[in-house]
Amino acid sequence: MASSSLFSTPSTAHHSYSHCYSISRSFVGAPSPSRSKLFFLRRNASASRFTAGRDFLVRSLFTETNHKLKDDDSITPHVAPGSIAADAASIASSIKYHAEFTPLFSPQQFDLLKAFFATAQSVRDALILNWNATYDYYEKMNVKQANYLSLEFLQGRALLNEIGNLELTGAYAEALRKLGKDLENVARQEPDAALGNGGLGRLASCFLDSLATLNYPAWGYGLRYKYGLFKQRITKDGQEEVAEDWLEMGNPWEIVRNDVSYPVKFYGKVVEGSDGRRHWIGGEDIIAIAYDVPIPGYKTKTTINLRLWSTKVRSEDFDLYDFNAGNHTKACEAQTNAEKICYILYPGDESMEGKVLRLKQQYTLCSASLQDIIARFERRSGEYVDWEQFPEKVAVQMNDTHPTLCIPELMRILIDLKGLTWKEAWKITKRTVAYTNHTVLPEALEKWSLELMQKLLPRHVEIIEMIDEELINTIISEYGTADPVLLEEKLKAMRILENVDFPASVKDLLVQPKESSIVDPDEEIQSSDEEVELVDEEVELVDEDVELIDEEVELIDEEEPTGEGTQKKKVLSEPVPELPKMVRMANLSVVASHAVNGVAEIHSEIVKEEVFNEFFKLWPEKFQNKTNGVTPRRWIRFCNPDLSELITKWIHTEDWVLNTEKLAELRKFADDEELHTEWRAAKKSNKMKVISFLKEKTGYLVSPDAMFDVQVKRIHEYKRQLLNILGIVYRYKKMKEMTTEERKAQFVPRVCIFGGKAFATYVQAKRIVKFITDVGATVNHDSEIGDLLKVVFVPDYNVSVAELLIPASELSQHISTAGMEASGTSNMKFAMNGCILIGTLDGANVEIRQEVGEENFFLFGARAHEIAGIRKERAEGKFVPDPCFEEVKEYVRSGIFGPSNYDELIGSLEGNEGFGQGDYFLVGKDFPSYIECQEQVDEAYRDQKRWTRMSILNTAGSYKFSSDRTIHEYAKDIWNIKPVEIP
């Protein structure tokens, strides 16, 4: 294993690429001579010849004129070390240098793509110096550091964000103008980093921005997915998935750390050595290699790190004999098996191979990250390592259940490799690890097959079994043995291992005295024809094939002739199936964590009162709320410059970018007509950009005078895009029944914009995408309707698209079934940008409505506490659908939207209960309330003065939803870390 040190001793650094040092100093200032090493370089023999002349390569850049670039006499050919200038000429020199001497493209031309890479590399030079200074100081001070483990980081494009945080946007724009390029056109060449899917990954990225901006010592850990989730294409058949190509041309922001690698093992067996320790041997070994991405803070020198793992095997694992024998596939098998771990995010897990791959991904993230964290702790500790101090120097945050395996992995390393006792290791682990829950959906509370885990991670299963036994003893200690029924109930609800036999000692405690079963021999056996059956036993298998199995087991009567006539004998037709043995990852996370938090007030209450109620009763002190937030840098300051300038002008400061509480000062101008005029102009400017984008991506031309009504998020039944599109269908139907004059009088013109990806194997979600596009194809070509209604599905929705759509949006839909959305973060982004929300009392909607004012939020639908009762009534056949809902379903079935068959989609909204029907997400129940609320939206939009006031108050009231506030809370209440400013 290569050294895990972030920095080696000073003698191991070199300066062969001195241009990075000398030019970048002009951006951020020079570090002291003894600490000027570049973060990603290590000494090697072939490079040592360059160390004598620090300026050698820089001077060579300008020995010949680059005729392929636009020359300008004002471009300074060399920036002397020690200069702190951040002028356009110096930056242009750096860009020219990288275009010529850090080549990824042929030298013939300086096109936009080449300009982007050269520009990004010049920015990276500046980041590296701050990055080195940050971690030199952390090493010196030996500070406590938070480590954020997440399977997703949805970063988006980096260029404009990085130069914005460095306060170099103007200088870079001018530098590129000198080179004949436009900054915005150059920035558009950057692909979105395909490292996430939705809110989970976007939140993680916002947190990294806030951690750096607020000077908290922290790292992010994730996986470097080669093909991302997928790139979405919309065709006549709906959604199609193709592999992401974001790494096709390379990633200028990342630095591969070939000297930072760790072994990761799968399969094998566990044996006990002569030393009495358990040893995990044999099996399949891979190597995790570190790729580092610098994350700069805003207006600060602090630059933290996102470390992504890629996977491979050693060269000797390539079977040269097999390859030369013509068995090419077999020869490459080990390499292929290793590399595919980091091919895609969330590989399909319907097959056993898919399940194995997902579990491998999760363990790779946990094992490599913890080995790295522990190596850093040991290095900073010096000669004597006090493991009791580990939780005082290290915090590990698990972003959802995907990183749960870091719990048994930390235990394994401490016990098997570092020689600690079980008691010592368990105490350290519980003080180190914390868990953020992001869902109340059962399928998202991960469960893994115990059998699969035993094969893939045998040592970890041993540790999990011991933790489960610890938990059992804790529960028995808490509740006693006086009531065996209550005790068994608690154990079944709380155990980590599901459907696994209790230990023998516990079984004895659960034995209940049996009642006498003596039967009077003279008692006549009653043999009626009554039917005995067990009906509708629903067994949900998570991470196995998810299905509802209705098993009907009947006791049937068989007639046996006897001498005394016919006697009926009861025979069991088939045995009750054995339930699968599972590992409940959420339960493991709760048991081992010192803190468990939800991500919105209502969600945290549901976590305590429903999802983990038994654990809350046992450990109430563990449970917290940390309402999500988003970074105001990316989500207002950089993506909406028109609005940003307006805010700064009216509150007379730009401090709101760091202290969002200052946004509240807009409230005193909410009725100012001058502000209203400027506010609407900023919105109109953003809408014009979206109009051009929609024309380019979809071919549809929409009107800037229409309301932009937007729902962009992952496609899922609980998020209820189906409710939205059925509402649009109802609107369209009513329009068709009216004259032209009646339509214009009744309805406000709308452009209804959808965006989001349906998971590749989520059939119902893909049906919803197809239905939306079919409705759009009909409505958008209806000349009678014209600009009064347009329906547009934006393909391949990502962060960059969001940065364009959100500033232009006027109404945003956050309409999930109440109690099912943990928080949401897009609702916060929309509110920040002066968009008015329509939604249910779900997730962060509750708090947003409180902050912006009830009159500035369009509310509809059932409340969370009503949902269970509504579903019960439905199951009992008591639900009576509203006539308007029946009307819209019939309209869909009429064929008005083309030849596609929507029976299964509409059928899911019918019936009383059962898989694929019964309207589980309450679309029909909330439909009339939703339609009524949309009429209120139309009424408000007609009064533009009222609407603009509502918009201003949404921005003013969004200050609470900055990720800076959230991170301060995590740092204080969970991680116990403090800001560290870099001198």
Side-chain angles (χ1 to χ4, degrees), residues 253-314:
W253 304 108
E254 69 182 14
I255 299 167
V256 59
R257 300 293 307 279
N258 288 311
D259 63 332
V260 180
S261 63
Y262 298 98
V264 179
K265 181 186 291 293
F266 306 109
Y267 302 109
K269 62 181 179 180
V270 181
V271 298
E272 187 169 316
S274 57
D275 56 1
R277 293 187 190 174
R278 306 290 284 170
H279 296 275
W280 183 17
I281 62 173
E284 174 186 314
D285 295 301
I286 67 166
I287 297 171
I289 304 291
Y291 283 73
D292 287 343
V293 180
I295 309 293
Y298 178 70
K299 291 189 176 183
T300 177
K301 198 173 183 179
T302 300
T303 302
I304 65 172
N305 192 39
L306 171 58
R307 176 157 284 179
L308 303 171
W309 300 107
S310 189
T311 44
K312 67 175 188 177
V313 292
R314 299 168 301 171

Side-chain angles (χ1 to χ4, degrees), residues 196-217:
N197 175 32
L200 188 78
R202 189 55 240 160
L203 179 75
S205 294
C206 285
F207 279 4
L208 293 185
D209 178 87
S210 287
L211 284 163
T213 297
L214 301 174
N215 301 306
Y216 283 113

Side-chain angles (χ1 to χ4, degrees), residues 707-710 750 809-812 835-836 838 858 934 937:
M707 179 202 299
F708 279 23
D709 173 354
V710 179
R750 285 206 202 193
S809 301
E810 295 170 287
L811 180 74
S812 182
C835 181
I836 300 158
I838 179 173
F858 294 104
Q934 287 286 14
V937 170

Side-chain angles (χ1 to χ4, degrees), residues 708-725:
F708 279 23
D709 173 354
V710 179
Q711 187 181 18
V712 282
K713 51 184 76 244
R714 179 167 51 96
I715 309 297
H716 197 292
E717 287 170 278
Y718 89 84
K719 293 180 183 287
R720 299 204 295 190
Q721 286 91 352
L722 185 54
L723 174 60
N724 186 352
I725 191 62

Side-chain angles (χ1 to χ4, degrees), residues 842-904:
D842 197 25
N845 283 0
V846 178
E847 291 159 80
I848 291 173
R849 182 169 175 262
Q850 290 169 352
E851 297 297 328
V852 304
E854 295 180 6
E855 69 280 9
N856 302 309
F857 184 106
F858 294 104
L859 177 68
F860 76 96
R863 308 304 192 250
H865 68 274
E866 300 171 335
I867 302 301
I870 292 170
R871 287 180 178 146
K872 184 174 182 291
E873 284 185 3
R874 180 82 183 225
E876 293 169 352
K878 296 177 181 177
F879 173 69
V880 179
D882 189 275
C884 68
F885 187 59
E886 295 299 290
E887 183 182 335
V888 79
K889 287 191 297 179
E890 287 307 309
Y891 194 58
V892 171
R893 285 182 164 131
S894 71
I896 187 71
F897 301 114
S900 297
N901 188 323
Y902 305 115
D903 285 347
E904 290 186 85

